[in-house]
Amino acid sequence: MIEREAGRLVVKVPLIMANARSLLDAGCSALAEGEQIFDFSCVTEADSSAVAVMLGWLRAAPATRSTLKFAHIPTGVRSLAELYGVSELLPLA
């Protein structure tokens, strides 16, 4: 679901509603102290739940003393974040 590769947390499954809870939990479990980069370069499908999952990871990060950045956010997810007015909350790598 999420694999650590070359210092990044690479999301390997679609960012869709059916996977949202599992992705949120897996991402929170993968957090470690320091900077964490979630990489979406392998994501082939995403919906609006992706924004909620990303915001959930950001909320969980302080508990592990980590800071998050996101790389290769799918275009559709960026558009949704802009539409919802939260794009500035999603730090880019």
Side-chain angles (χ1 to χ4, degrees), residues 19-76:
N19 296 332
R21 172 47 72 182
S22 297
L23 277 169
L24 178 62
D25 293 344
C28 289
S29 294
L31 294 177
E33 189 171 339
E35 183 177 271
Q36 309 293 303
I37 298 174
F38 281 91
D39 186 330
F40 302 111
S41 59
C42 293
V43 172
T44 58
E45 184 181 1
D47 63 21
S48 60
S49 65
V51 175
V53 170
M54 294 165 73
L55 292 173
W57 290 335
L58 286 168
R59 281 192 303 274
T64 58
R65 296 184 186 168
S66 57
T67 57
L68 303 186
K69 291 189 178 178
F70 300 108
H72 308 289
I73 298 173
T75 304

